[in-house]
């Protein structure tokens, strides 16, 4: 029994000695971690991780601050007005809207590239200054398309002093103002697109009613005439031209 107690005491003493011997090593390891966190390489690594994380926000950025929102809504309303349901497919409409967005936004991106990205790569601008300079063309584009009423709405609810110049409008106020302005403009264009197709539906429905064809769907009968009208007036060219001109 005495031998067992002696062995237990010796084991505890040995364990305590090992712990005390490893304490300086743990402290040194902690100091090394702090040094790594303070190093420029660690800062660059964190920036790289944040940049990769922001890539997932590109679709939301595309919807929020470019012409894509207005274009895709107009195309969707056009397909609904004609009544073709899934023709053209969503992929076609999104692809066309995406390339039109690139075409419309290319002057903005070129200006940002010339004034911000190239000087930053040459070391003439800091990262913060390059971001501020690169966002100015985009802010000007959004302000040009934003209604004063929508902008005043978010300025009022954000409880900030009224901006004295466009440069003083914060992005968390400008972006939602731009989005609801784009939604209103897109629905106005969509309403104008619906009018001729509704007239065709009413004419076809009255003709079928007068002929006593109650069982025949007016939608199915009017669909070929709506497609014919759209093709004869070169509808895709007219709508694309109208959308491009609406951003000037």
């Amino acid at each position: 029994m005495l031998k067992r107690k002696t062995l237990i005491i010796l084991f505890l003493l040995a364990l305590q000695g090992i712990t005390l011997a490893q304490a300086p090593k743990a402290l040194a390891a902690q100091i090394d971690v702090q040094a790594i966190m303070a190093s420029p390489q660690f800062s660059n690594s964190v920036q790289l991780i944040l940049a990769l994380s922001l890539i997932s926000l590109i679709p939301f950025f595309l919807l929020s601050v470019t012409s894509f929102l207005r274009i895709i809504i107009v195309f969707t309303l056009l397909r609904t007005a004609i009544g073709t349901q899934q023709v053209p497919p969503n992929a076609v409409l999104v692809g066309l809207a995406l390339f039109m967005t690139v075409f419309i936004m290319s002057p903005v991106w070129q200006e940002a590239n010339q004034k911000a990205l190239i000087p930053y790569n040459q070391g003439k601008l800091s990262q913060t200054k390059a971001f501020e300079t690169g966002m100015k063309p985009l802010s000007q584009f959004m302000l040009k398309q934003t209604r004063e009423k929508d902008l005043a709405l978010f300025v009022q609810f954000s409880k900030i002093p009224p901006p004295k110049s466009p440069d003083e409008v914060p992005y968390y106020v400008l972006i939602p103002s731009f989005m609801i302005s784009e939604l209103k403009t897109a629905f106005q264009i969509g309403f104008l697109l619906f009018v001729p197709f509704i007239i065709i539906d009413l004419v076809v429905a009255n003709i079928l009613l007068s002929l006593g064809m109650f069982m025949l769907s007016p939608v199915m009968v009017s669909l070929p005439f709506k497609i014919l009208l759209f093709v004869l007036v070169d509808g895709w060219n007219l709508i694309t031209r109208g959308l491009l001109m609406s951003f000037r």
Side-chain angles (χ1 to χ4, degrees):
M1 188 68 179
L2 183 59
K3 291 182 179 180
R4 183 178 298 177
K5 290 182 179 180
T6 304
L7 291 174
I8 293 174
I9 292 172
L10 292 174
F11 176 76
L12 292 176
L13 290 174
L15 182 62
Q16 184 178 4
I18 293 172
T19 305
L20 292 175
Q22 290 181 347
K25 296 181 180 179
L27 181 60
Q30 183 179 3
I31 294 174
D32 292 338
V33 170
Q34 292 177 354
I36 292 172
M37 293 178 64
S39 64
Q41 292 81 3
F42 180 81
S43 178
N44 294 333
S45 300
V46 171
Q47 292 178 4
L48 179 61
I49 293 173
L50 292 177
L52 292 175
S53 301
L54 290 176
I55 293 177
S56 61
L57 299 178
I58 290 179
F60 301 99
F61 179 82
L62 179 65
L63 287 173
S64 303
V65 300
T66 65
S67 58
F68 182 84
L69 180 61
R70 181 190 304 185
I71 296 172
I72 193 62
I73 290 178
V74 170
F75 285 163
T76 305
L77 291 175
L78 171 64
R79 185 176 62 182
T80 304
I82 297 176
T84 53
Q85 296 180 355
Q86 297 299 323
V87 179
N90 290 329
V92 175
L93 294 181
V94 172
L96 179 58
L98 181 61
F99 281 104
M100 287 183 62
T101 300
V102 173
F103 180 80
I104 293 171
M105 300 299 296
S106 58
V108 178
W109 292 336
Q110 289 175 3
E111 184 178 355
N113 182 55
Q114 292 293 331
K115 293 183 178 181
L117 185 58
I118 293 178
Y120 172 73
N121 291 331
Q122 294 175 350
K124 298 179 180 180
L125 292 178
S126 63
Q127 186 175 5
T128 304
K129 186 63 177 178
F131 176 78
E132 294 176 356
T133 306
M135 288 297 292
K136 283 183 180 180
L138 190 60
S139 300
Q140 293 173 358
F141 170 80
M142 289 190 289
L143 284 169
K144 187 178 179 181
Q145 308 299 328
T146 304
R147 294 178 174 84
E148 294 183 3
K149 182 179 180 181
D150 299 330
L151 188 61
L153 171 67
F154 285 94
V155 170
Q156 176 185 358
F157 279 92
S158 62
K159 298 180 180 179
I160 61 174
K164 297 181 181 179
S165 65
D167 295 335
E168 296 181 1
V169 180
Y171 293 112
Y172 67 89
V173 172
L174 177 59
I175 292 176
S177 305
F178 170 76
M179 292 184 70
I180 63 175
S181 296
E182 287 293 282
L183 288 172
K184 182 177 181 179
T185 304
F187 275 85
Q188 288 175 343
I189 299 174
F191 170 77
L192 297 177
L193 293 176
F194 263 89
V195 173
F197 299 116
I198 289 178
I199 293 176
I200 293 176
D201 286 333
L202 291 175
V203 171
V204 171
N206 288 328
I207 292 176
L208 293 178
L209 183 63
S210 62
L211 294 176
M213 299 179 179
F214 301 103
M215 302 301 295
L216 190 60
S217 174
V219 177
M220 294 297 298
V221 177
S222 63
L223 180 58
F225 294 100
K226 290 190 287 187
I227 295 176
L228 178 63
L229 173 65
F230 191 73
V231 172
L232 289 177
V233 299
D234 198 4
W236 287 112
N237 184 281
L238 291 176
I239 292 173
T240 303
R241 179 187 297 272
L243 285 171
L244 294 177
M245 293 180 64
S246 67
F247 286 99
R248 291 185 176 181

